Amino acid sequence: MVTGMESPVLGSDDYASIRDAGQALADRYGMVTLNAMLERWTSFIEDVEDGFDADSAFDYPHDLRCRDWLAEAWPMLTEPVRALRDAELRALDARYLDATVPLRGAGADRAQPGGGRWWRHRRPRLVDGGEPGLPPGW
């Protein structure tokens, strides 16, 4: 058990799980790493928090692919890797929840954690730019 300021030591199996997850998902997402996808999720959330540009609204589903990757990769990672990064992912998800609202017409069960790909059933709370031409549900 990890206590205080100690950091768990990851072994070769742990690093292999990160590499293997990237390889397993490469056909759909390109070859990326866990760190890169967590960084993309962070950057995307920062954009959403700052007020998402309406001109980029149709790119929004594509931008969410970083979170899709994390959801697919997570079960492929070893327990020590998940334990090491879980608090970070949960904190990012909480920030995303705060910066977004459910899509119009999305059921509450679909737009909250535990509802499958819940992040896909939400939109930015702050949208900069014009209302005309926004995607359905915005």
Side-chain angles (χ1 to χ4, degrees):
M1 173 179 257
V2 178
T3 60
M5 297 297 290
E6 296 174 25
S7 179
V9 176
L10 298 180
S12 59
D13 289 347
D14 304 312
Y15 289 108
S17 75
I18 297 168
R19 182 195 64 238
D20 293 347
Q23 289 174 342
L25 300 172
D27 286 347
R28 287 194 312 281
Y29 298 98
M31 189 61 193
V32 294
T33 65
L34 175 61
N35 286 342
M37 291 312 241
L38 283 165
E39 288 169 12
R40 281 188 199 171
W41 186 225
T42 301
S43 177
F44 176 70
I45 291 167
E46 289 168 355
D47 288 345
V48 171
E49 289 170 331
D50 290 343
F52 203 78
D53 187 347
D55 292 337
S56 300
F58 285 96
D59 293 331
Y60 195 79
H62 178 75
D63 293 338
L64 290 171
R65 288 173 48 85
C66 59
R67 185 59 179 87
D68 294 340
W69 187 95
L70 290 165
E72 290 181 47
W74 214 251
M76 297 180 208
L77 304 173
T78 61
E79 178 58 34
V81 174
R82 289 191 309 267
L84 184 64
R85 303 308 290 267
D86 187 63
E88 178 182 5
L89 182 58
R90 286 181 187 269
L92 289 169
D93 286 349
R95 285 176 56 191
Y96 181 73
L97 275 169
D98 287 343
T100 60
V101 295
L103 288 171
R104 290 184 188 105
D109 59 327
R110 295 173 60 197
Q112 297 296 321
R117 292 181 185 235
W118 58 269
W119 53 91
R120 289 217 163 255
H121 302 283
R122 301 185 69 82
R123 65 165 181 85
R125 183 178 303 279
L126 302 173
V127 179
D128 297 329
E131 181 83 18
L134 288 175
W138 278 48

